[in-house]
Amino acid sequence: MSGDDYGELLRVLSPVAAGFGLIVQVPFAALHESARKVLERLGGHLIEAMDTQAWPGSQIVGRTTVERFLFRLDSDSLEVLVSSASSLYDWVNPRLPEDLHFLRSDGSVVLGTVAQEDDAWLQLTPAEYERIAARIPRGVVLRPA
C-alpha cells in the first residue's frame, strides 16, 4: 500500500487515534537529514521521548535501548506524516524515523508497523471498525486476526 492509499488510511484512522509514535534505532547523528527534518517538524507535537526496548510489534533482547518519540496527533502532525512518506513501509532508519504506530488516548494500539518487514496491522474495536470500514482505501485488505 502506497501513494494515495497511504495518506487516506492515515486520515481515516486519525479520528480513532490521539497520538502516534516513531522509533530512532541509530545514533541521532547517523540519521539522514530527512529523518532529522521530520522530527524537527513534529517537535511542537512531542509528548514524550523515552529510551525503550519495546514498542508495538517489536522487542529488543540483549541490546541497548532505542529512542521512542510519542507525539500528539492533529491535522498538522498528520500532514507531516502524509507528506514525509509514500508508504507505511518507508518509515525505516536512517532515512526516516522507524515503525510508525498510532495510539488511542489510553496508549493502546490502533495501527502498528514493523516497516523493515513490510508488516502492518490494525487493532480496532467492533465499533471503530463499523465507523471506518467503508472509508478504508481499496488498496488496504482487512483480515481478522
Side-chain angles (χ1 to χ4, degrees), residues 56-131:
S58 296
Q59 183 168 358
I60 300 171
V61 178
R63 185 178 155 206
T64 60
T65 60
V66 299
E67 195 160 13
R68 182 180 185 196
F69 295 89
L70 298 177
F71 300 95
R72 181 180 63 258
L73 183 62
D74 61 23
S75 60
D76 292 334
S77 60
L78 178 64
E79 287 311 309
V80 172
L81 296 176
V82 170
S83 67
S84 297
S86 59
S87 167
L88 288 174
Y89 309 127
D90 287 347
W91 294 98
V92 177
N93 293 168
R95 195 181 81 67
L96 287 172
E98 197 155 303
D99 292 351
L100 173 65
H101 47 284
F102 276 21
L103 306 166
R104 292 178 188 82
S105 58
D106 66 3
S108 62
V109 175
V110 174
L111 166 72
T113 67
V114 180
Q116 288 183 332
E117 296 178 16
D118 290 350
D119 187 21
W121 65 95
L122 299 173
Q123 290 178 220
L124 302 172
T125 66
E128 290 166 346
Y129 178 82
E130 289 301 318
R131 265 196 336 259

